Each structure stands twice: as C-alpha cells, then as structure tokens.
Amino acid sequence: MAEHEHGYGHGNEHGYEREHVRVAVVGTGFGGLGAAVRLRREGVTDFVVLERAGSVGGAWRDNTYPGCACDVPSHLYSFSFAPHPDWPRTFSGQEHIRAYLEHVADVFRLRPHIRFDSEVKRMTWDGEKLRWDIETSSGSLSADVVVSATGPLSDPRIPDVPGLESFPGRVFHSARWDHDYDLRGKRVAVVGTGASAIQIVPAVQPLARRLTLFQRTPPWVLPRVDRAISGAERALHRALPFTTQARRGLLWGIRELQVQAFTKHPGELGLVERVARLTMARHIKDPALRAKLTPDYRIGCKRILLSSEYYPALARPNVDVVASGLSEIRGSTLVAADGTEADADVIVFGTGFHVTDMPIADRVVGADGRTLAESWKGGMEALRGTSAAGFPNWLTIIGPNSGLANSSMILIIESQLNYLADFLRQLNVLGGRAALDARPGAVRAWNHRVQERMKRTVWATGGCTSWYLDASGRNTTIWPGTTTEFRRATRRVDLGEYDVLRVPAARRAEAGA
C-alpha cells in the first residue's frame, strides 16, 4: 500500500513527506479500471486511482442522456478478463455498461485504491527525484509512474456561438444532461449529428412540441440490429463460459476482416454505402429531406453511426432539419449559417469532446518545463500510442493514433495494459530509481510510419472533415490498422526506443549519506 495509509500528506511545508506511491492512475473508466486490475495481477498493490467525480464509470457515468447506448456489441465491449454472461441486449444501454464497471471495481477489489473527488490539477516531473509530483483537488502526492486514463471523450466541447450567453432558455451538453428540465411540450434545438445526437433525437422527439436539428454535416447511418438476449442464451453463457468467449471471438473476427476496407481499399465500402442509401430511402420519403440527409463524402470517412430510429424520427411532422450549422443566437431565436431561423426553449449541444486538445495535457509538465499541450502544439504524437517524449514514466491509455472506427476500444486498452505491464517489468529489471523517457527519434519514426499508412485510408481520402482530424487537418486519433497489429506493436517495451534516466550522482550520494 501507499507509504502514508491515512490519506494524502500535507506537504513539506508542514513538516511531512508527501504521500508517495509506485503508480498513480488517473480516471475510472474502462482504461483506469483496466489499469488497476492489471497492476494487481502484476503484483503491484502500491497504487492509487485518482477520480475527479464521486463514482466510477468515466464516460459511461457522465453520459446519461435519453437513449444513451453503445454502438459496439456488448460481448465485445467488455474486458476479456471479466466476461459478462448476463448482458441483457446485444447492444447495451448506458446503465448496463455503468453497472458492469461498478461490478469490475467490486470483483477485483479496486475501491480501496480509488480516491474519489480528486481531480488532477497539476502533474510535474521532478528530474532530481525521478518522480511525478501530483496536485489534486483533495491533496498532494507523488508517484514513480503515472498512467493517464482520462479518455478522449471526457471533456465536452460547446462551440463559441455569438449570443449564446444571452439565450433565455436552458442550455446543456449531451454529456451533462439536465434531468431536472422537462422537455415535454418544449421547443427543443439539437445541435450536431454525431453518435450522441442520433440517439437523443428519437428519444426526445415524442416529447417535444417542436424539435429542430441543426446539421452541419449529415452522417452515414446504418440500422442497429439490436435485440434482447434471451434467458436461454444467458443461461448457456453462464453454464458454459467458452460460449461467451466464442461469441466475443466471432464479433472480433468480423470486425478485423472489415479493417482493410477502411485502411487500404476504401472503394470496397461502396456496397455498405448502398445499404445506407436504401435504409434512408425506406424511411425518408420526402425528396427534399432525403437530399439534406445524404452525405457528399465516402462512407467511413466520418464514424458510421448505427440507429434504426433516427430516420423515422426525422420524418415525424414535429421535426425540422436545418442543413446548416448554428452560427448565431438572438434572444430565443437560433440562426443557422444559411440564414434559417428557429425559436427554441432549450438547446442541447451534441457537439462532441475535446479529443485532439485534451484538457489534461495542459496540466502535465514534463522534463523540460513544458506542458504536454505545448509539446503537442504541432499535433499529438506518442510512441506506440502510449509514451510522449520528454514525459518520463508517463503512459496514456487511448493516446494519439490508438482510436478505432469500427471495433471495440477495449481491445486497444487491453493491448496498452500489456505495454504498461512490461514497462513496469523493465523498470524492475533496471533496478534502483530509474525512469524511461521515449526518445524523440523513436516517437518521430513511429508517428511517421502511422501517418504514411494513414494516407490511403478512407479517413484521409474520403472527402470529409471529422473530429478525427486536428486543427492542421492531420489524423492524430485513429489507428490505421487491425487490433491484432496494435497488440503486436504493444506486446513488449523496446528499451532501444527509450532513454534510461537515473537519479543524479550527487543526489544518490546525499541519499546515502
């Protein structure tokens, strides 16, 4: 356990050494809880998990909007080391995924390690002591290794719309849903057409007097083949655990076979595009509305969305689709870029998250005194999606170019947990106080290979602008390969890609005096 068992130290100014742990994990979503489980499995018990909220769950705790569900099948969207035979549906809702994460925290006895209401304010690398000094909203501590698992979908992004501050009605983001506000009989404006919005619109449409959807870019939408998992299936999975593994393996294999169409042969996606067009035509009979909803880019360039209720909801008489982004607000009137106006009582922003400019990056100060945000000013990049140059013993889960567009992020997370485990083993083999800092040349070489592979992918050639791209138009989020390739790339830490740091000789002499 930690050096100080009774909470955080009070800082040296009060005569106490600050609490020190071997590993500090940030976040309790899939990445943070997965890291905690892996640490215990590796025999590491001297760690804490810092969580800014009062419960576990990450994005699945924060996103409670009506209709919130996963677009990855349940048996693939769970840890391989914690299979769940009792998923109620093929695509699980938010409440079931959050309950699963609570279950993981309990079964693997993680709660004693978790510090709730402990938002990280600053993490600073101490090159003299080879450790991270961490300031949180509830105290201070230090750690030899930091695992940042805050996730790319943790901090909502609301666009800076002129006049928004003067809007007289209610305003909130999909990830901060206001459950105290009754939408029945209200004029509801939904801004954005991403994965959250296409779930919100069908759930809200029957309640609203009028629903106006501001669509900057139409998405490609395929049916979501969701159904209840029968009691017999669940009983089978409980009695014969290998059937759960087989189901997961089948779901994984299908998605692995799809990857080449996204990464090497985007032309093969034409058949999928025809299915999407037929789906739209089946539900949208009005030619004018169908024209608004038809994308002008290759399917897959932006995330393909799954919904069987979105198009039917848009065809209802109380729904208006404005094929233009929101540009201005005048009192209770919303004005689109094309001049279309709509009055609203409430605005729901389904405008995504700070993905390529993660706020945690402003709070991490590396070896040269620069923040991670400053280091990544020209674009995010990290060795094998995990280690950033100049930030020793700092690993990120779901880092640059580790995202997926067609499969389960749990597969990527578990690969990075393998890398974390070997990282700690290498530190143990080196012995004494040591740190590993990714070499800039190794990071550049890795990033160059990734970006070269990116050039032929649908995300680069499909003719769209997406949240996968940073401000300079470079894709710094998606992994341009299979999950098998990523697992192979993160199976072991190559010490040749790192500088080994040691405590300065003067410091060692002082410690031994």
Side-chain angles (χ1 to χ4, degrees):
M1 294 297 290
E3 291 179 8
H4 295 277
E5 297 287 345
H6 302 292
Y8 293 103
H10 297 285
N12 291 334
E13 66 272 23
H14 296 293
Y16 296 98
E17 284 294 321
R18 74 165 68 205
E19 177 191 18
H20 182 78
V21 294
R22 178 63 169 158
V23 183
V25 179
V26 186
T28 61
F30 273 96
L33 294 183
V37 172
R38 190 55 185 266
L39 289 172
R40 289 187 64 94
R41 289 175 65 189
E42 293 294 318
V44 179
T45 58
D46 182 16
F47 71 91
V48 297
V49 184
L50 304 171
E51 169 54 57
R52 66 183 178 185
S55 59
V56 304
W60 294 106
R61 175 199 59 234
D62 296 340
N63 285 268
T64 60
Y65 59 80
C68 183
C70 190
D71 59 2
V72 175
S74 305
H75 286 87
L76 192 58
Y77 200 76
S78 46
F79 291 120
S80 64
F81 54 78
H84 186 45
D86 281 314
W87 288 115
R89 302 195 66 83
T90 52
F91 289 88
S92 290
Q94 173 266 339
E95 68 277 16
H96 300 118
I97 297 174
R98 182 178 180 183
Y100 172 75
L101 290 171
E102 295 276 4
H103 175 72
V104 168
D106 289 332
V107 167
F108 291 94
R109 296 175 295 166
L110 303 181
R111 294 193 187 276
H113 296 276
I114 300 174
R115 307 282 175 82
F116 292 114
D117 302 310
S118 297
E119 182 177 10
V120 170
K121 299 295 187 182
R122 199 79 166 169
M123 289 190 284
T124 307
W125 176 250
D126 184 335
E128 291 290 314
K129 298 179 181 177
L130 297 189
R131 72 181 191 186
W132 285 95
D133 292 330
I134 306 169
E135 306 296 330
T136 81
S137 56
S138 62
S140 305
L141 73 159
S142 61
D144 294 333
V145 177
V146 166
V147 180
S148 179
T150 58
L153 306 182
S154 58
D155 290 277
R157 187 182 67 83
I158 293 182
D160 184 17
V161 181
L164 178 60
E165 70 286 346
S166 63
F167 179 70
R170 197 68 62 95
V171 177
F172 48 88
H173 190 277
S174 59
R176 300 291 184 267
W177 195 269
D178 187 346
H179 290 279
D180 294 330
Y181 187 75
D182 188 355
L183 295 175
R184 283 176 293 188
K186 300 295 195 302
R187 298 169 299 177
V188 181
V190 176
V191 182
T193 51
S196 299
I198 72 156
Q199 295 178 345
I200 291 168
V201 168
V204 167
Q205 175 269 319
L207 305 175
R209 170 156 56 108
R210 194 96 210 148
L211 190 152
T212 304
L213 177 66
F214 285 83
Q215 169 194 271
R216 189 170 57 183
T217 309
W220 283 109
V221 181
L222 292 173
R224 190 173 74 144
V225 188
D226 185 27
R227 65 172 179 84
I229 297 177
S230 70
E233 288 175 89
R234 291 150 74 174
L236 177 66
H237 292 328
R238 284 195 299 272
L240 301 172
F242 76 87
T243 61
T244 306
Q245 297 166 0
R247 187 172 190 158
R248 177 188 176 90
L250 178 62
L251 292 167
W252 166 79
I254 291 170
R255 280 155 183 77
E256 287 291 271
L257 293 173
Q258 295 170 348
V259 170
Q260 286 214 44
F262 288 85
T263 60
K264 294 180 180 178
H265 309 292
E268 294 179 359
L269 291 166
L271 177 60
V272 183
E273 195 170 293
R274 284 196 289 277
V275 172
R277 289 180 184 275
L278 287 172
T279 301
M280 186 192 307
R282 187 178 305 123
H283 297 293
I284 306 296
K285 304 303 182 183
D286 177 4
L289 179 57
R290 198 157 61 237
K292 287 182 181 180
L293 298 175
T294 302
D296 62 357
Y297 55 87
R298 169 67 77 189
I299 194 169
C301 184
K302 294 167 73 77
R303 188 175 180 90
I304 300 173
L305 305 182
L306 303 182
S307 176
S308 299
E309 294 83 33
Y310 181 62
Y311 287 141
L314 295 185
R316 301 299 296 171
N318 67 328
V319 176
D320 294 313
V321 177
V322 178
S324 183
L326 179 62
S327 67
E328 185 184 358
I329 297 173
R330 303 170 189 156
S332 60
T333 302
L334 281 60
V335 185
D338 65 359
T340 303
E341 296 185 359
D343 290 331
D345 301 306
V346 55
I347 304 174
V348 178
F349 282 100
T351 45
F353 300 85
H354 290 277
V355 176
T356 59
D357 57 343
M358 292 185 288
I360 190 69
D362 288 310
R363 307 178 185 189
V364 183
V365 182
D368 63 359
R370 290 192 305 163
T371 65
L372 185 62
E374 290 169 334
S375 177
W376 281 350
K377 196 170 184 180
M380 299 191 301
E381 55 182 30
L383 178 62
R384 303 181 187 277
T386 310
S387 299
F391 297 82
N393 283 9
W394 187 89
L395 301 94
T396 183
I397 305 297
I398 312 182
N401 289 114
S402 64
L404 296 175
N406 77 311
S407 192
S408 172
M409 283 306 303
I410 313 306
L411 302 168
I412 293 293
I413 289 170
E414 290 196 24
S415 295
Q416 291 190 290
L417 298 184
N418 291 339
Y419 198 76
L420 163 65
D422 198 52
F423 193 97
L424 294 172
R425 290 187 209 113
Q426 297 291 349
L427 288 177
N428 288 338
V429 169
L430 289 169
R433 293 200 60 77
L436 295 176
D437 187 7
R439 292 181 172 176
V443 176
R444 284 195 298 271
W446 170 261
N447 193 62
H448 176 73
R449 291 197 297 272
V450 168
Q451 294 302 326
E452 282 298 305
R453 292 184 64 176
M454 195 70 71
K455 289 179 180 178
R456 60 192 296 189
T457 68
V458 68
W459 310 301
T461 64
C464 74
T465 299
S466 72
W467 61 263
Y468 300 150
L469 310 180
D470 63 17
S472 63
R474 191 172 57 155
N475 190 328
T476 57
T477 58
I478 297 296
W479 167 244
T482 64
T483 61
T484 302
E485 289 175 296
F486 191 83
R487 177 151 295 199
R488 193 179 304 124
T490 52
R491 183 170 291 130
R492 295 279 184 270
V493 169
D494 178 1
L495 284 181
E497 295 180 325
Y498 287 86
D499 289 322
V500 178
L501 308 182
R502 295 284 189 183
V503 174
R507 182 79 188 172
R508 289 201 304 271
E510 178 185 318

